[in-house]
Amino acid sequence: MTYDAVVVGAGFAGMYMLHRLRGLGMSVRAYETGAGVGGTWYWNRYPGARCDVESLQYSYSFSDELQREWEWSERYPSQPEILLYAEHVADRFDLRRDIQFETRVTRAAYDETANLWRVETDRGDRVAARYLITAVGCLSASRVPGFPGAASFPGPSYHTGRWPHEGVDFTGRRVAVIGTGSSGIQAIPVIAAQAAHVTVFQRTPNYSLPAHNRPMEPEYQGWFKAGHAGLRTTMRESAAGILSDPNPDSALEASEEERARVFESRWAKGGVSFMASFGDIAVNPEANEIAAEFVRGKIREIVTDPEVAELLSPRNHPIGSKRICVDTGYYATYNRPDVTLVDVRRAPIEEITPTGVRTADAEYPADVIVYATGYDALTGPLLAMDLTGKGGLSLRRKWAAGPRTYLGLMTAGFPNLFTITGPGSPSVLSNMIVSIEQHVDWITGCLGWLRDGQVATIDADPLAEDAWVEHVNEVAGYTLFPRADSWYLGANIPGKPRVFMPYAGGVGAYRVLCDQVAADGYRGFVLSA
Ligand code: N01
């Protein structure tokens, strides 16, 4: 079977891409590993899973009707509600008939003679497509560190990103949670409320901001919907794709009273807009330290045991240089008598035993282990497919020293392969829905243009790619991101090249660049008839 396009993944990116390709009149097959739509929200069913972008902003903007008819029930959407939304979108736009579920794309090779991508799946499908479009997500390749002895543990163990659909009952159980990133920080308070005892194994304390989640106010929802056209434009033109009301002032120049006033009001408001308190927090180490110390002060206020408070206080990286977390009752959870915090930076985990977790200086009993240990981010899901471009070049080989793309949309030598929110684009530094829609719209425009001009192939020009990779690095160098050992840099995966993968130039500026490239006849791309 030959399609105009194969889309890999049916999360928010794959669903919207499918919808737009249909609009071009193309034949499309989408493959999805899960049994349903939703991508990250299909898999991440751990207790407390919630998006930390406000629900009204974490929703598609492409359809006025969809926007009008869907009602969000809370300020921040829970995983079940986001999944319901994804399912509603699939139904409303009749997407399922072109999606093959429970099917993983294992291999795709570019056939230069036929100018087709030859795609293989784990279900034995062998299809061809003019265009191959990956919508595989940035955080879908879950990772469990290879602790010695893990197989000897007789009880259940779960990764947050592969949570059982039927849920987990922790009542009466002793639970070990390994990892204190966004997933762990959301899950720990909810697990602690149910379990007999929770032991948290923390290697790096993270900065976390209160969500102050609450039921959606009908007036707020009405206000957003009434003004959605303008608000969406503001989001698209912003740095992170959200309404954050950025304060351009310098934290260094503000008086102590002014800083306290601004920080307190953002803290009370809740959510990530704290990071927009002052214009220099993300770029100036001293300004950053002022914001970081404010958060540490909050930790000391909330956590009653000063030693535990200090252990929870991040000191080895600037605030925001690792993904900022948003929580509900995270720090206060450590005031519970049935929660223990273990510092595995000082005494690392040495092995999992049949009765629990053993660190360099003690053994901690557990009946259940929760791995909140993260992902092989951005490149992991792409490299998990065996992708081969021109001349038999594999993507794994091409990216051996780190990902190389032009605009995060294409990689030279892989014609007609588009990577939605690929490395080198703002992706994970932004509201993903805004970045997804921007990429899908750009790709749709590009494919329509190629068709109208009877252009058979498009590929990134290696020189344009080199310049873009350099630009991505240069922009990252202006920020404090490279100062943390984060998954943005691949630092969480042993042996992964240390390269800052997303584009830190902001979604607004990036959109302008992409639009200019298109307006200039796809400058930096090689086209052939
Ligand atoms: O994963 P992470 P995550 N021994 O990589 C620790 C998005 N997200 O699933 O920091 C001991 O952030 C590791 O320690 P360290 C969001 O973009 C969004 O929590 O490497 N510990 C770290 O504490 C987020 O950033 C939402 O020292 C080990 C943790 O495991 C991204 O997903 C919700 C270890 C992994 O943290 C990933 O978040 C959830 C070891 N060997 C996720 N190996 C929302 O929208 C790893 N760790 C709210």
Side-chain angles (χ1 to χ4, degrees):
M1 183 71 193
T2 299
Y3 298 96
D4 290 321
V6 158
V7 175
V8 190
F12 280 103
M15 288 200 293
Y16 182 42
M17 192 72 247
L18 169 57
H19 176 66
R20 293 301 311 266
L21 291 167
R22 278 189 191 161
L24 287 175
M26 288 190 171
S27 60
V28 190
R29 192 70 171 158
Y31 294 105
E32 164 58 50
T33 310
V37 296
T40 205
W41 302 106
Y42 173 88
W43 297 105
N44 278 265
R45 297 169 189 246
Y46 62 84
R50 189 178 288 286
C51 186
D52 55 16
V53 175
E54 285 191 19
S55 50
L56 287 159
Q57 299 175 45
Y58 193 82
S59 55
Y60 287 122
S61 71
F62 70 85
S63 161
D64 279 353
E65 296 76 24
L66 172 64
Q67 155 104 1
R68 264 199 304 274
E69 67 201 18
W70 184 265
E71 297 281 319
W72 292 100
S73 71
E74 292 179 279
R75 179 180 177 193
Y76 292 98
S78 65
Q79 174 273 332
E81 190 165 17
I82 304 174
L83 190 56
L84 280 177
Y85 174 74
E87 287 167 352
H88 169 74
V89 171
D91 292 338
R92 197 188 185 293
F93 296 96
D94 188 22
L95 299 177
R96 290 179 216 271
R97 68 185 153 87
D98 288 323
I99 305 171
Q100 185 173 319
F101 292 101
E102 296 180 271
T103 307
R104 178 183 288 280
V105 170
T106 49
R107 191 163 188 277
Y110 179 63
D111 175 343
E112 291 177 56
T113 318
N115 182 28
L116 288 172
W117 278 93
R118 304 217 175 264
V119 180
E120 299 177 13
T121 75
D122 63 354
R123 288 292 191 98
D125 303 280
R126 301 284 179 274
V127 301
R130 168 66 63 87
Y131 302 108
L132 179 62
I133 305 174
T134 65
V136 290
C138 300
L139 294 157
S140 53
S142 54
R143 176 182 172 265
V144 174
F147 294 118
S152 72
F153 186 70
S157 54
Y158 310 100
H159 185 280
T160 48
R162 287 287 179 277
W163 204 259
H165 287 203
E166 63 280 12
V168 178
D169 183 3
F170 291 105
T171 311
R173 320 300 298 280
R174 294 164 305 170
V175 185
V177 181
I178 303 175
T180 51
S182 296
S183 303
I185 280 177
Q186 286 189 329
I188 287 162
V190 186
I191 296 174
Q194 200 183 46
H197 191 94
V198 174
T199 309
V200 177
F201 296 86
Q202 171 190 272
R203 188 165 65 182
T204 309
N206 248 311
Y207 299 92
S208 189
L209 307 166
H212 297 318
N213 186 39
R214 54 177 179 267
M216 177 66 74
E217 296 91 348
E219 308 73 43
Y220 182 62
Q221 183 140 237
W223 168 82
F224 189 94
K225 289 186 176 187
H228 104 98
L231 294 170
R232 296 287 192 172
T233 303
T234 306
M235 287 162 61
R236 289 184 195 117
E237 291 174 354
S238 70
I242 53 171
L243 301 173
S244 62
D245 191 17
N247 175 10
D249 296 347
S250 159
L252 295 176
E253 285 165 20
S255 65
E256 269 198 37
E257 295 70 38
E258 176 62 2
R259 285 177 199 156
R261 191 189 63 73
V262 172
F263 286 142
E264 288 290 354
S265 86
R266 299 243 175 187
W267 184 269
K269 195 166 166 243
V272 295
S273 81
F274 178 85
M275 293 308 295
S277 297
F278 290 97
D280 45 4
I281 291 176
V283 291
N284 183 303
E286 285 170 64
N288 185 283
E289 176 53 24
I290 294 169
E293 186 48 32
F294 176 85
V295 175
R296 290 186 211 113
K298 286 292 179 192
I299 298 171
R300 289 190 290 272
E301 266 174 35
I302 298 168
V303 179
T304 46
D305 180 333
E307 272 182 38
V308 176
E310 181 51 30
L311 196 50
L312 287 165
S313 297
R315 297 203 182 267
N316 74 347
H317 62 283
I319 184 168
S321 60
K322 281 172 107 110
R323 169 66 145 64
I324 192 83
C325 300
V326 177
D327 72 274
T328 297
Y330 176 64
Y331 294 120
T333 298
Y334 293 93
N335 293 334
R336 297 178 64 112
D338 50 7
V339 173
T340 307
L341 181 64
V342 176
D343 178 5
V344 296
R345 176 149 320 258
R346 195 180 51 78
I349 295 172
E350 293 200 330
E351 65 169 336
I352 308 289
T353 70
T355 53
V357 178
R358 192 171 63 75
T359 68
D361 64 3
E363 177 149 7
Y364 299 88
D367 307 310
V368 183
I369 300 177
V370 173
Y371 291 99
T373 44
Y375 298 86
D376 183 355
L378 288 126
T379 51
L382 291 165
L383 295 176
M385 291 179 284
D386 178 11
L387 293 176
T388 309
K390 272 161 75 174
L393 177 65
S394 75
L395 190 65
R396 187 167 283 282
R397 188 146 61 85
K398 179 177 171 185
W399 286 5
R404 302 189 69 75
T405 69
Y406 179 39
L407 299 171
L409 278 159
M410 296 197 88
T411 185
F414 294 74
N416 292 355
L417 167 70
F418 294 90
T419 50
I420 301 174
T421 63
S425 73
S427 62
V428 291
L429 300 182
S430 70
N431 175 353
M432 285 302 292
I433 301 253
V434 170
S435 285
I436 284 168
E437 286 194 327
Q438 186 255 334
H439 265 192
V440 170
D441 290 343
W442 191 94
I443 294 166
T444 306
C446 176
L447 297 187
W449 185 85
L450 296 176
R451 184 183 56 191
D452 295 347
Q454 300 188 328
V455 178
T457 62
I458 180 166
D459 194 0
D461 178 340
L463 291 178
E465 181 168 288
D466 289 350
W468 183 252
V469 170
E470 202 174 304
H471 176 64
V472 170
N473 278 323
E474 191 188 346
V475 173
Y478 296 136
T479 71
L480 302 179
F481 284 121
R483 297 187 181 212
D485 286 333
S486 70
W487 56 258
Y488 295 141
L489 280 151
N492 62 328
I493 305 291
K496 190 166 174 172
R498 197 181 167 94
V499 172
F500 190 77
M501 295 181 283
Y503 178 56
V507 294
Y510 172 79
R511 175 184 297 269
V512 171
L513 282 171
C514 291
D515 289 349
Q516 282 168 349
V517 163
D520 291 351
Y522 294 90
R523 174 168 37 84
F525 289 98
V526 183
L527 309 167
S528 60

